[in-house]
Amino acid sequence: MQKREKRIILCLAHMSGNEMKYIQEAFDQNWVVPLGPNVNKFEEELKRFVVSPCTLTAENDLQEETYPKSIKPHENDPEKLWLDSITDAKLLDKQVVALSSGTAAVHLALIAVGVKAGDEVVCQSFTFCASSNPVVYLGAKPVFVDSERETWNMDPELLEKAINDRMAKTGRKPKAIIVVYLYGMPAKIAEIKAVADKYGIPLVEDAAEGLGSRYHGRVCGTFGDYGILSFNGNKMITTSGGGALVCPDEEARNKVMFFATQAREGYPYYQHEKIGYNYRLSNICAGIGRGQLTVLDEHIAHHRRLAKFYAEAFKGFDGITFHAGSDSELNPAVGAAAESKTLSNYWLNTITLDPQLKIKGEENAYRTTVKGAVGGAAGVIHYVDSAHTDCEPNANVEALRMWLDSLNIESRPLWKPMHKQPVYKDSPAYVNGTAESIFKVGLCLPSGPLVTLDDAQFIVDAIKDAVC
Ligand SMILES: *Cc1c(COP(=O)(O)O)cnc(C)c1O
């Protein structure tokens, strides 16, 4: 096969063309600060989105929409609730605070539920480090819990075991539970929430990767006490860098806002009784976010379109399995009524490789160490002496990554579970082997609005060609 002229990137948010209008407004009004009209509007629109009823399917062609259905104001009365079908009053209480990153949102969620130095926080192990690092920022201790096989997210039974064991060992309950929507896939949130409620432990949903995913029709990030959203450049939508915290109500929102703006007391001069943070989103970035919200539904639909394509392409192909997870359209085993569907945003589409599958060039996997950041990741990486660690993807997975790379297709191994990370080697972990075994066989494929169906066909052909 001939390599593609233009590199097919794993995932990059795509501009809608509406962003400049909001940015221009901010400049015109001289609102170039981390607060202002775009920030307020962005929060309002995000709230509309997170409490919106289900409008999406893989079939939806939303190209015609200039404003996403899910946050469109009511035609006759803009103030009227777009929310006619919503019965859960608690959902309507939700408030969204726009922040400088998803990581900041995790940090503030933990502060909001009262996590202090020395406390324990239960966190899904199969995740990106931003889920658990803020636990350490606070001087608290992460306790990792492994995943179940269907969704790759926190195993509710293991969660309960972990809580009981922590109580037996420390005499105290963990202060919070952080569940993650890995690659956007809805977790078994009803079961997890039941455990959290049973023990009275606050639940934080890290929906940084799961913006717009739905569990039984309801947006992920609205089930727990707090929900994390991320608008980093590689997520579902971007503000160039940013995030948001979905809060349970007005009071919680005010508390989060207080800590996000350096914890200032009500005096004419700076008076501080608490340690605060500078975590508010810039009004310019919020302008980008508002532009991005106009294509959010369309982007979700496109991620799902690609998922459907990959799922079909690997159906019946020996040795490669598409991860359909808990999605009730792509995993027929799940099944559900239209309004209560569980839908993944398929932020990243993932496959797993049978360990027996032979990939061309497998003998050269891990021969050299990584030079330059994998996939153009930001920042610098530490160069390493050995290409191996004690827990790494199988050689056929690495060979497939290299094969695709040579054809100018970016792919990436799954996130290495936190309980296998050297930095967390001393953290307690409740493990059933799932995350580690999936990490060794999985690969993320290009996803998102910049990947065309034609690109996806090329990627599938390249993968099938790589098999010996
Ligand atoms: C991206 C991500 C975050 C953090 O978001 P940033 O906006 O990059 O700080 C948190 N958790 C998970 C699982 C993520 O993938």
Side-chain angles (χ1 to χ4, degrees):
M1 288 175 75
Q2 274 240 302
K3 84 176 210 182
R4 273 284 160 101
E5 265 323 299
K6 193 161 164 275
R7 190 163 173 81
I8 304 175
I9 300 290
L10 194 67
C11 187
L12 208 56
H14 184 39
M15 292 303 109
S16 68
N18 300 324
E19 290 80 5
M20 286 308 287
K21 184 177 95 191
Y22 299 112
I23 295 173
Q24 191 61 50
E25 262 175 39
F27 275 86
D28 292 346
Q29 301 162 352
N30 213 33
W31 277 106
V32 187
V33 278
L35 78 165
N38 278 336
V39 178
N40 299 340
K41 278 284 185 197
F42 186 46
E43 289 175 338
E44 210 175 284
E45 290 168 354
L46 279 170
K47 172 176 170 161
R48 284 183 181 221
F49 180 79
V50 298
V51 302
S52 64
C54 195
T55 57
L56 288 172
T57 71
E59 262 37 88
N60 270 8
D61 187 2
L62 297 161
Q63 305 291 344
E64 299 298 309
E65 288 284 320
T66 52
Y67 209 78
K69 266 199 191 99
S70 51
I71 61 169
K72 200 173 192 168
H74 197 279
E75 268 163 35
N76 304 322
D77 179 1
E79 292 305 310
K80 180 174 146 77
L81 294 186
W82 56 93
L83 315 156
D84 292 337
S85 60
I86 292 171
T87 48
D88 181 355
K90 281 223 183 82
L91 187 56
L92 295 183
D93 286 344
K94 296 274 182 192
Q95 299 288 336
V96 181
V97 181
L99 300 166
S100 54
S101 71
T103 311
V106 178
H107 195 173
L108 291 180
L110 295 176
I111 290 170
V113 301
V115 173
K116 301 250 159 50
D119 289 339
E120 289 193 339
V121 173
V122 177
C123 182
Q124 179 168 322
S125 180
F126 207 2
T127 187
F128 180 62
C129 65
S131 304
S132 54
N133 282 354
V135 175
V136 180
Y137 301 165
L138 287 167
K141 297 173 192 161
V143 171
F144 292 110
V145 169
D146 211 330
S147 295
E148 35 79 17
R149 291 213 155 251
E150 183 183 281
T151 77
W152 298 2
N153 294 312
M154 188 183 273
D155 181 332
E157 285 174 28
L158 200 53
L159 167 65
E160 183 158 18
K161 274 196 197 128
I163 293 169
N164 280 313
D165 194 58
R166 291 330 289 167
M167 293 196 306
K169 289 209 166 86
T170 69
R172 290 165 53 197
K173 274 191 310 196
K175 268 292 181 64
I177 297 166
I178 304 172
V179 60
V180 182
Y181 297 98
L182 198 65
Y183 310 118
M185 189 60 66
K188 292 193 181 294
I189 197 68
E191 289 90 333
I192 288 166
K193 190 164 162 41
V195 175
D197 288 347
K198 177 173 170 188
Y199 292 90
I201 303 173
L203 180 60
V204 175
E205 295 166 88
D206 183 347
E209 301 176 1
L211 180 62
S213 293
R214 288 173 185 271
Y215 177 89
H216 294 182
R218 177 161 157 174
V219 168
C220 294
T222 62
F223 293 92
D225 298 86
Y226 290 87
I228 278 74
L229 306 178
S230 167
F231 315 119
N232 207 332
N234 58 354
K235 295 285 161 73
M236 292 300 286
I237 60 166
T238 189
T239 55
S240 74
L245 187 57
V246 181
C247 303
D249 52 33
E250 189 79 30
E251 192 186 336
R253 167 194 171 274
N254 292 343
K255 184 169 171 183
V256 166
M257 200 79 95
F258 172 77
F259 282 103
T261 52
Q262 299 292 28
R264 289 169 302 179
E265 303 293 336
Y267 296 91
Y269 42 86
Y270 290 138
Q271 170 86 5
H272 301 289
E273 295 171 16
K274 298 259 165 53
I275 293 294
Y277 302 85
N278 179 10
Y279 277 170
R280 211 62 177 117
L281 185 68
S282 138
N283 195 49
I284 301 298
C285 296
I288 303 175
R290 291 187 68 194
Q292 287 277 287
L293 278 181
T294 65
V295 287
L296 175 55
D297 283 354
E298 194 182 313
H299 283 194
I300 297 170
H302 190 68
H303 281 258
R304 292 185 56 77
R305 213 174 279 137
L306 288 170
K308 208 170 172 188
F309 183 88
Y310 286 129
E312 285 293 325
F314 294 114
K315 196 179 278 173
F317 190 85
D318 248 8
I320 297 180
T321 308
F322 175 78
H323 175 47
S326 51
D327 190 278
S328 41
E329 283 185 352
L330 293 190
N331 183 358
V334 177
E339 65 286 0
S340 65
K341 277 183 174 167
T342 292
L343 300 172
S344 175
N345 63 12
Y346 289 104
W347 170 57
L348 290 184
N349 288 287
T350 53
I351 53 171
T352 52
L353 268 61
D354 190 318
Q356 309 304 322
L357 188 74
K358 286 272 171 291
I359 297 290
K360 292 171 187 162
E362 215 172 292
E363 61 288 356
N364 296 322
Y366 298 116
R367 279 284 184 81
T368 57
T369 60
V370 170
K371 304 283 191 293
V374 179
V380 295
I381 57 166
H382 280 165
Y383 291 106
V384 293
D385 298 329
S386 161
H388 290 282
T389 68
D390 62 351
C391 172
E392 64 192 17
N394 291 337
N396 63 355
V397 173
E398 176 58 8
L400 182 56
R401 188 191 69 76
M402 293 192 306
W403 175 271
L404 294 174
D405 189 56
S406 75
L407 291 168
N408 234 348
I409 301 166
E410 185 189 7
S411 64
R412 188 176 294 176
L414 303 185
W415 303 176
K416 180 164 172 170
M418 288 305 125
H419 74 273
K420 299 302 291 183
Q421 298 287 0
V423 72
Y424 285 121
K425 67 180 185 326
D426 298 327
S427 300
Y430 294 81
V431 174
N432 57 24
T434 301
E436 182 175 356
S437 68
I438 295 173
F439 166 65
K440 288 177 175 166
V441 298
L443 196 67
C444 302
L445 299 181
S447 306
L450 291 171
V451 181
T452 64
L453 286 177
D454 186 54
D455 291 335
Q457 184 64 59
F458 178 69
I459 294 161
V460 167
D461 291 344
I463 293 172
K464 291 185 174 173
D465 212 31
V467 176
C468 293

